[in-house]
Amino acid sequence: MSGLKIAPVTFGREGRIGLILIDNPPVNAISGAVIAGLTEALNRFEAADDLDVLVLYCAGRTFVAGADIAIFEDPGFSAQPFNTLLARIESQSRPVVAALHGTVLGGGLELAMACHHRVARPGTRLGLPEVKIGLIPGSLGTQRLPRLVGADLALEMITNGRMIDAAKALQSGLIDVITDGEPRAIGLEALTALLALGASPRRTSQLGVRPASPEVLDKAEAAASKKPGWPQLAAAVRCVRAAQTLPYAEGEVMEAAEFERLLSSPSSKALRHLFFAEREASKIPGLARETTLRPIRKVGIVGAGTMGGGIAMNFANAGIPTVLVEVNAEALQRGLDLVRKNYEASAAKGWLTAGQVSQRMGLLQGALDYAALADCDLVIEAVFENLALKQEVCAKLGAVARPGAIIATNTSTLDVDVLARATGRPADVVGMHFFSPANVMRLLEVVRGAKTEPDVLATVMKLAAAIGKVAVVSGVCYGFIGNRMAEVYMREADFMIMEGAEPAQVDAAVESLGFAMGPCRMLDMAGVDVGAKAVIEHGKVGGLPDDPSYRALVQQLFKLGRHGQKTAKGYYRYEGRTPASDPEVMTMARELADQYGMVRQQGPGADEIVERLLYPLINEGLKILEEGIAYRPEDIDVVWVAGYGFPDFRGGPMWMADSIGLDVIAKRLAHYAARRGDAHGYWKPAKLLLELIASNRPLAKWGR
């Protein structure tokens, strides 16, 4: 196409058809330069009286996949220039067609909806994901979408942020036709058909809205009220309601006001922080971008229990053949049956077809001999968290795995370097700490050992993305990033219960902040036995403080067989999965307090519980940074949000530290050290905390 190029936008013509091409790799994101280029291209189209129609399309692998989110951090940002451009496109007297492919998201879908007609390639997906970064669509998405697809579907798309496929978009009226071909070609084909029909511009803003019922709107408002940390949900409902009850111009004013308010809200800033943090976590300092990756064509897993089976599902879901090895046929069959049961449960909910279940199970092979791992490119041990057992398994893997295969350990707390040495080939070894249930949880801690080769680390990080995980690199220490911080969190929970607080009080305090569940419910779900064994194993290598009361409660629960939900007793007693307070736990806690000479009290208030749980956790995160275990504060935030139920709208513990105030945290640590004594250094502030306070720098600026 010959024509005039304006920044990332090219304007040209073919006969009496005007053509606007956006070429802003990698995803053609809306930016200031794109808006300027589109504005100038539109000027030229309007000045060309001999053109009858206009096609808007994109180069590369996708149509506009949203705005460059970094522009939202600019204090001078305004959606108005883009919105004015969209109004101009919609008001054109000659038909404008958008040719769509790839992912049409956010501002990209708003751009498409301002055009008069939309044609899409098969496989195109469309959506308004702004809710995930604490916003609503800010360029009339809440007003145009209901006019095209009806308020019901619009409400669903805006509040859940998920994409719909081309077939559903066609059925709902969001697009007009699906046809195969290059974007430019399908746009020209659609225009030719429109011209043959004598079609005139169809302006979305002038369409009526198929209204949602009052019940649907009320239900959406009720759901939004249950997530006060996500105010964008209630704002979305208000705007969609306005679309069906108010004139377009008034709905436009409401959307602009709601968007502006959300843009500066703490929750949106926190969610945008996490958006960037997840992408930054994939970047490994010092690792060359051209590092050659090792091929991963087949995966082997030792251990077909709940964790091993869940790990296997990740690879089967990604189409990677996987072999599960167990010690006996009964355990192997039980593991495979559990995987099938999980897949069939997904099929019953409509998430998978019967064919997909069969295809994924067909990728799984069971074996009772380590020799079945000989042709695997990656082998993962997923046996019980016992150092001696894992060393034995790692030695076997080192002997059987082919040269160049990656050997990974799924340990959650143990020394990866010790396990790496057991293989006899530590350069090939890396930690891959999946979180339970492994087929559901997004987080994967990738633990770099002292001798882990760069290509091993790079390969596993790339593989993590392929199996849908958010991967964060950690150095070697007890518990890595997440469980090391969780240990101090659980330490204070146990101490407060021994001092007189009930588990329900402890949990309620942090759940009121938006945590998915408090520490006691969390450990009951994960397994009290798992938590206690980790403490016991750490003690065997001399890792515990010289304090006999340390984690005494969890160890006593374990000794009594109170292993959590799976035994119907832990910190709580259970009827099904519903927790109920158990007086036996408080009796046990009181006896332990008396045994260790701890001062009992009526029970700390909610503010003290929050401080004693979160401030040591944050302090431990700072120690992890100063030791180089984590690369960035953002990595710690990703770990805790993606793996531990930390409320996303608070940005993670390191982001939250700045909002609390580092000086406030230091003062409260000193307060509890003075009140409780600190012979074991539980309240000792991290050096980094004191350095940041002395230099008057926020944690967000650390390392920059």
Side-chain angles (χ1 to χ4, degrees), residues 264-343:
S264 59
S265 68
S267 57
S268 181
K269 289 179 179 178
L271 289 167
R272 298 194 313 258
H273 157 73
L274 288 171
F275 175 89
F276 292 116
E278 286 193 8
R279 282 144 188 82
E280 194 69 15
S282 66
K283 301 173 184 175
I284 305 171
L287 188 67
R289 296 188 68 176
E290 60 272 16
T291 300
T292 301
L293 304 182
R294 300 190 186 187
I296 305 295
R297 293 157 298 210
K298 185 177 181 181
V299 173
I301 299 166
V302 178
T306 302
M307 179 59 78
I311 294 172
M313 290 177 71
N314 289 288
F315 297 107
N317 294 346
I320 300 173
T322 303
V323 57
L324 275 165
V325 174
E326 256 298 354
V327 294
N328 60 64
E330 182 183 357
L332 179 60
Q333 191 59 52
R334 185 167 56 246
L336 291 171
D337 287 346
L338 180 59
V339 171
R340 180 177 291 279
K341 182 180 178 182
N342 287 336
Y343 278 138

Side-chain angles (χ1 to χ4, degrees), residues 489-653:
Y489 180 69
M490 293 304 307
R491 176 196 79 203
E492 287 306 307
D494 276 6
F495 278 153
M496 283 187 284
I497 294 168
M498 291 163 70
E499 292 168 15
E502 293 201 11
Q505 288 177 283
V506 174
D507 285 347
V510 288
E511 287 169 10
S512 70
L513 297 180
F515 277 70
M517 59 181 67
C520 303
R521 286 180 59 209
M522 180 178 74
L523 196 52
D524 271 358
M525 184 183 72
V528 170
D529 55 328
V530 175
K533 286 177 183 177
V535 173
I536 293 166
E537 287 292 313
H538 197 35
K540 289 179 181 178
V541 295
L544 297 183
D546 184 21
D547 176 3
S549 69
Y550 183 87
R551 301 303 307 278
L553 180 57
V554 74
Q555 293 184 69
Q556 184 66 12
L557 291 169
F558 171 57
K559 288 176 186 175
L560 296 175
R562 299 182 65 112
H563 297 171
Q565 284 188 12
K566 56 191 167 189
T567 60
K569 285 186 177 182
Y571 285 87
Y572 297 90
R573 59 181 175 81
Y574 289 85
E575 295 177 6
R577 297 197 174 200
T578 304
S581 295
D582 190 340
E584 289 182 16
V585 173
M586 297 312 297
T587 299
M588 185 190 314
R590 183 171 60 252
E591 291 172 350
L592 289 170
D594 291 343
Q595 178 181 343
Y596 296 115
M598 296 176 65
V599 177
R600 298 269 297 173
Q601 53 184 333
Q602 188 67 28
D607 289 346
E608 178 177 333
I609 292 171
V610 167
E611 290 180 351
R612 286 182 60 179
L613 289 176
L614 295 191
Y615 292 5
L617 181 147
I618 290 169
N619 193 49
E620 197 68 25
L622 289 159
K623 292 177 183 178
I624 284 170
L625 286 172
E626 68 186 34
E627 293 169 20
I629 300 299
Y631 290 129
R632 297 162 283 252
E634 298 96 311
D635 290 356
I636 295 174
D637 288 335
V638 171
V639 165
W640 269 80
V641 171
Y644 292 84
F646 199 99
D648 54 7
F649 62 88
R650 296 190 185 277

Side-chain angles (χ1 to χ4, degrees), residues 118-123 165-170 175-180:
R118 286 156 293 282
V119 56
R121 291 172 57 178
D165 60 23
K168 186 166 185 177
L170 178 64
I175 61 176
D176 302 298
V177 64
I178 299 173
T179 186
D180 210 353

Side-chain angles (χ1 to χ4, degrees), residues 408-482:
T409 169
N410 181 53
T411 180
S412 56
T413 58
L414 300 175
D415 191 324
V416 169
D417 288 329
V418 170
L419 298 176
R421 286 195 294 272
T423 69
R425 42 199 282 192
D428 292 330
V429 178
V430 68
M432 291 181 71
H433 177 207
F434 289 83
F435 287 70
S436 186
N439 56 304
V440 175
M441 296 296 288
R442 296 173 62 232
L443 180 65
L444 176 66
E445 275 186 315
V446 177
V447 187
R448 64 184 195 280
K451 295 189 176 180
T452 302
E453 284 287 346
D455 66 334
V456 169
L457 194 58
T459 299
V460 170
M461 291 296 285
K462 185 74 173 178
L463 179 64
I467 61 173
K469 299 299 182 188
V470 177
V472 175
V473 175
S474 171
V476 175
C477 66
Y478 172 77
F480 319 126
I481 295 172

